[in-house]
Amino acid sequence: MTIIINMKDKIDERKLKVAARLIREGKLVAFPTETVYGLGADALNERAVKRIFEAKGRPADNPLIVHIADFSQVHELAREVPEEAEMLAKKFWPGPLTIVLPRREVVPKVTTGGLDTVAIRMPAHEIALKLIELSERPIAAPSANISGKPSPTSAEHVVDDFYGKIECIIDGGETRIGVESTVIDLTEWPPVLLRPGGLPLEEIEKVIGEVRIHPAVYGKKVDLAKAPGMKYRHYAPNAEVIVIEGPREKVEEKIRELIAEFKRKGKRVGVIGSGRYNADEFFFLGNTVEDVARNLFKALRHMDRAGVDVVLAEGVEEKGLGLAVMNRLRKAAGYRIVRV
């Protein structure tokens, strides 16, 4: 049985203590963050962490992010904490930034996907921070979705994937950002962007200078994943996804051509973007890149419920949050891209 705790309107610490106790007992609790919902377990409990991988169907070499509520916990989890980590934490924590550091022995290798590094972040969500504080544990939490599928931005998405399979879901309403955290590796110099996310790269470079972008961000295959989202297919609905990239007018023209082409083949066609189209299903993502990021995974899940065969997605400019949006879209499409 799965307990659902409703905290859309206000935090009930008494109810949160129930979820915190479950974390201490090695159980699984899904909870909201500012980015997406996480599927949490005690990061230092090897058996509990293994249950995350089992529930999600997640490959064992795909590392998890460890969530903390106080910067002092970084020193408990990492062997070395460079000045750059302190600078970034002071500026951006709590927030959608994950920092990769050398792992202390106390962190089980199951949590880090077998790596000698650990990925750490402090979420900017009152429920998440209170849960970590009350559980008195760092919480390992990937996104609370079946591995490879679109990430959850509401408790309803988590219920769809995990009701009856985990012990608790905390409903804190819809998430604010809608794409996962940005991941920066500080074990190399210059630092490396492993995954673009809710904190734009431009903001990070203002604090620590040059950051190299890992080729995996643009789709290069890797043998070793130092962060989630680098190695395996992610974010994909059941339908085939095609991303159309280029100048706005040409993108809209090409999408209309493709709609007609797929309809002639008897396919149900969905479109996600900000234009207007005569498709079987259309999901308006919004007028700003922040709106697009917030609505992207909701749109992909909507297309699953609508039962379309093909999803055509408008590309966006790779600036600010746009880099994260395009990373997610291209992965959802398996890099099926039409450039116009």
Side-chain angles (χ1 to χ4, degrees):
M1 178 181 173
T2 301
I3 302 168
I4 298 180
I5 300 174
N6 187 342
M7 291 198 188
K8 286 182 180 177
D9 299 321
K10 65 175 182 177
I11 288 184
D12 185 330
E13 190 165 316
R14 181 179 56 85
K15 291 180 179 178
L16 259 187
K17 284 180 178 177
V18 173
R21 187 186 72 243
L22 291 171
I23 291 287
R24 290 195 300 273
E25 291 174 353
K27 304 297 196 300
L28 301 186
V29 175
F31 61 95
T33 77
E34 78 280 26
T35 57
V36 299
Y37 273 70
L39 181 59
D42 178 355
L44 308 185
N45 181 333
E46 188 170 338
R47 184 175 298 178
V49 171
K50 283 181 178 177
R51 286 198 58 213
I52 293 177
F53 286 89
E54 291 164 2
K56 282 178 61 76
R58 184 183 180 94
D61 63 345
N62 198 3
L64 305 181
I65 292 171
V66 179
H67 294 66
I68 61 173
D70 187 272
F71 185 78
S72 64
Q73 292 175 282
V74 173
H75 295 276
E76 298 168 12
L77 301 169
R79 294 194 312 273
E80 300 169 24
V81 182
E83 180 185 3
E84 289 76 17
E86 298 189 12
M87 293 165 63
L88 289 172
K90 184 176 181 180
K91 179 71 174 178
F92 299 118
W93 279 1
L97 173 66
T98 295
I99 298 172
V100 175
L101 298 169
R103 175 188 70 96
R104 279 195 185 276
E105 290 292 323
V106 68
V107 184
K109 281 205 169 182
V110 64
T111 302
T112 66
L115 300 173
D116 201 33
T117 54
V118 59
I120 307 169
R121 97 171 182 101
M122 187 188 299
H125 197 290
E126 195 176 356
I127 291 173
L129 291 172
K130 199 64 172 175
L131 177 65
I132 299 164
E133 178 189 324
L134 292 172
S135 68
E136 301 176 335
R137 305 284 194 280
I139 295 181
S143 54
N145 57 286
I146 299 301
S147 189
K149 295 302 179 182
S151 298
T153 56
S154 70
E156 288 77 11
H157 297 160
V158 184
V159 169
D160 288 345
D161 285 4
F162 289 116
Y163 188 79
K165 300 175 184 177
I166 64 176
E167 283 73 24
C168 181
I169 298 170
I170 302 171
D171 185 351
E174 294 202 356
T175 61
R176 176 171 56 86
I177 295 176
V179 292
E180 297 86 348
S181 62
T182 302
V183 182
I184 295 290
D185 183 1
L186 292 183
T187 67
E188 297 187 29
W189 194 262
V192 182
L193 175 71
L194 300 180
R195 180 181 75 183
L199 179 65
L201 175 61
E202 295 91 338
E203 295 302 308
I204 294 168
E205 290 188 317
K206 288 177 185 176
V207 177
I208 61 170
E210 179 195 357
V211 174
R212 182 169 64 86
I213 299 177
H214 196 286
V217 169
Y218 297 112
K220 183 177 179 181
K221 291 186 177 180
V222 296
D223 296 323
L224 184 70
K226 293 191 75 174
M230 291 183 70
K231 183 175 179 182
Y232 295 98
R233 189 180 187 218
H234 283 263
Y235 323 118
N238 295 325
E240 177 186 6
V241 179
I242 301 171
V243 182
I244 296 83
E245 302 179 18
R248 178 63 183 269
E249 288 185 5
K250 290 188 176 181
V251 164
E252 292 187 7
E253 181 182 343
K254 187 62 179 180
I255 287 176
R256 293 187 180 97
E257 287 178 16
L258 290 171
I259 291 171
E261 180 182 326
F262 282 114
K263 282 191 171 185
R264 283 196 297 270
K265 296 176 181 177
K267 303 283 189 181
R268 277 180 51 78
V269 184
V271 177
I272 61 175
S274 55
R276 287 289 183 267
Y277 304 96
N278 183 27
D280 297 290
E281 288 289 333
F282 174 72
F283 195 105
F284 179 66
L285 289 177
N287 292 315
T288 69
V289 70
E290 290 79 13
D291 290 337
V292 173
R294 189 179 306 114
N295 291 318
L296 177 60
F297 291 137
K298 187 195 302 186
L300 292 173
R301 283 180 174 261
H302 171 83
M303 293 301 168
D304 268 350
R305 287 191 296 273
V308 301
D309 302 302
V310 181
V311 177
L312 305 175
E314 293 179 356
V316 300
E317 189 177 8
E318 289 182 298
K319 287 184 178 179
L321 277 178
L323 181 61
V325 168
M326 290 309 298
N327 172 264
R328 305 310 191 270
L329 269 180
R330 288 166 179 157
K331 279 186 170 289
Y335 293 91
R336 289 182 292 272
I337 299 165
V338 175
R339 292 187 170 89
V340 293

